[in-house]
Amino acid sequence: MMTEKNFMKVLAGESLPTPPIWLMRQAGRYLPEYREVRASADGFLDLCYTPEKAAEVTLQPIRRYDLDAAILFSDILVVPDALGQKVWFVEGEGPKLDPITGGSDVAALSTSWVRQRMALVFETIGLIKKDLPSHVSLIGFSGAPWTVATYMIEGGGSRDFAKAKAMLFENRECFDAMLEILIEGTADYLIAQIEAGVDALQIFDTWASALDDDEFDHCVIQPTKRIVEIVRSAYPGFPIIGFPRGAGVNYVRYQEETGVTAVSLDTGVSLDWAASVLQKKTPVQGNLDPQLLLAGGDGLKTRVERICEKLSGGPHIFNLGHGIIKETPPEHVSDLISYIRGS
């Protein structure tokens, strides 16, 4: 059993012979033990806001797989919930929100409620830390302002982000006011997670690819930079991973300008490019296709070995290019870990 936190070593810039492993959405519906706890909760948000249950599902993949990091079980939409927007989840459909349509809706939001409304999340972190093995790191997280804003304006998920872009292009004053609230509220939420005991943070900008170069700077880079600066003003040097999914070559600008400690790579990022460009500047995390983990077999083994080989020349945390697919057999995760660790 490892006694030091290899995950934290890599975030500090070390290159290890075997990369530490954690997987996005590692606590989720593919695990039978998760489904059992989920069935006992009164909806998804109830699971997120019940500390004993949220801590339990956070720890389940650590007990099963001895991964190098756990990630707090929660959701990026707890932030708009804390800001005062109505948020709920419909089984089989996903998140629903009362949409933000204009200035009066934005004015009704308040960052002053964040810590009070998130008290149960911070209690969850304390419970996790009590039972987390000493060599395992705990990751806190949030959504990035652009990605969270899309849900807030669209009233849920979207394929084209038409409403969010309409507000961005046609009512920028309103959009920017909401962005400011999200920057402030998200930074405060992340600082509170640090105070509760997390070892590192990840900021998820899932829909970063939806923007052109100019708006990528305005909606992705600048808000993330501000959040990193606010967090670091309270906790200098605290490790923060950024995940601007689908950013392509904009990963370089994102890394250079936001100040994040490391970048998480989506499936579309070329390994050769990541090794020769990004990894020269920063630790990288990623980037196995979740569909390969679902499929398993020789294809999974070959790709895992290729990722490990290509990114072996610098600091690398093994992860997926996005979250585990719910139909993934748990045995495939065991296989993945054995391919990496050679056991």
Side-chain angles (χ1 to χ4, degrees), residues 3 9 12 36 49-50 75 84 88 104 122 125 143 150 179 211 234 239 282 320 331 334:
T3 58
K9 287 183 179 181
E36 183 177 342
Y49 290 146
T50 304
D75 193 85
W88 69 101
S104 61
F122 310 139
I125 293 170
T150 65
L179 216 56
L211 298 162
T282 187
L320 304 178
E331 298 77 22
S334 298

Side-chain angles (χ1 to χ4, degrees), residues 71-116:
I71 184 165
L72 169 68
F73 183 83
S74 188
D75 193 85
I76 65 171
L77 297 183
V78 298
V79 167
D81 187 51
L83 294 173
Q85 186 176 16
K86 184 179 179 182
V87 180
W88 69 101
F89 285 75
V90 177
E91 195 68 34
E93 296 183 28
K96 304 291 180 183
L97 303 87
D98 280 347
I100 302 293
T101 60
S104 61
D105 294 330
V106 174
L109 303 173
S110 175
T111 60
S112 63
W113 302 323
V114 169
R115 291 197 177 224
Q116 179 181 353

Side-chain angles (χ1 to χ4, degrees), residues 25-273:
R25 215 177 289 145
Q26 64 190 22
R29 290 175 289 178
Y30 76 106
L31 290 177
E33 56 266 44
Y34 169 87
R35 295 194 296 270
E36 183 177 342
V37 176
R38 173 68 179 83
S40 72
D42 185 20
F44 181 75
L45 278 180
D46 178 65
L47 179 57
C48 292
Y49 290 146
T50 304
E52 295 79 9
K53 292 178 180 179
E56 168 61 21
V57 295
T58 299
L59 291 164
Q60 286 172 347
I62 305 304
R63 296 193 196 107
R64 183 185 272 258
Y65 301 118
D66 191 27
L67 296 159
D68 294 284
I71 184 165
L72 169 68
F73 183 83
S74 188
D75 193 85
I76 65 171
L77 297 183
V78 298
V79 167
D81 187 51
L83 294 173
Q85 186 176 16
K86 184 179 179 182
V87 180
W88 69 101
F89 285 75
V90 177
E91 195 68 34
E93 296 183 28
K96 304 291 180 183
L97 303 87
D98 280 347
I100 302 293
T101 60
S104 61
D105 294 330
V106 174
L109 303 173
S110 175
T111 60
S112 63
W113 302 323
V114 169
R115 291 197 177 224
Q116 179 181 353
R117 295 194 179 192
M118 291 298 164
L120 293 172
V121 176
F122 310 139
E123 184 179 337
T124 299
I125 293 170
L127 293 177
I128 295 166
K129 292 289 284 188
K130 287 180 182 178
D131 290 334
L132 200 66
S134 61
H135 67 282
V136 179
S137 303
L138 178 58
I139 305 166
F141 75 95
S142 74
W146 160 251
T147 288
V148 176
T150 65
Y151 287 95
M152 294 175 72
I153 298 167
E154 300 285 343
S158 174
R159 293 183 180 274
D160 57 11
F161 312 103
K163 295 177 183 177
K165 288 187 176 183
M167 184 180 290
L168 172 63
F169 297 145
E170 300 169 18
N171 193 355
R172 188 169 289 257
E173 183 179 355
C174 179
F175 184 89
D176 284 354
M178 188 169 71
L179 216 56
E180 286 295 319
I181 290 170
L182 281 168
I183 291 167
E184 181 183 341
T186 300
D188 192 35
Y189 178 48
L190 292 175
I191 288 170
Q193 290 184 54
I194 296 171
E195 293 169 352
V198 302
D199 299 303
L201 297 168
Q202 178 153 317
I203 299 174
F204 289 83
D205 219 339
T206 309
W207 306 126
S209 63
L211 298 162
D212 63 30
D213 284 354
D214 291 337
E215 300 306 345
F216 185 88
D217 180 77
H218 183 77
C219 297
V220 174
I221 290 179
Q222 295 307 318
T224 302
K225 178 182 180 181
R226 293 263 309 282
I227 290 170
V228 171
E229 288 172 346
I230 295 168
V231 170
R232 296 261 177 80
S233 69
Y235 292 92
F238 197 84
I240 302 172
I241 304 166
F243 183 35
R245 185 183 177 209
V249 295
N250 282 325
Y251 262 104
V252 176
R253 292 174 54 216
Y254 179 93
Q255 185 275 325
E256 291 176 344
E257 297 180 32
T258 62
V260 295
T261 310
V263 289
S264 192
L265 311 179
D266 61 78
T267 300
V269 175
S270 158
L271 294 176
D272 287 332
W273 182 77

Side-chain angles (χ1 to χ4, degrees), residues 276-318:
S276 62
V277 177
L278 290 175
Q279 208 177 25
K280 302 293 185 187
K281 305 169 181 287
T282 187
V284 297
Q285 175 179 277
N287 68 337
L288 181 73
D289 190 333
Q291 288 286 347
L292 265 176
L293 184 59
L294 172 64
D298 291 341
L300 172 63
K301 184 174 188 292
T302 299
R303 184 62 182 177
V304 168
E305 291 172 347
R306 179 170 170 77
I307 292 170
C308 290
E309 176 193 359
K310 288 288 185 179
L311 299 179
S312 64
H316 173 222
I317 296 164
F318 196 98

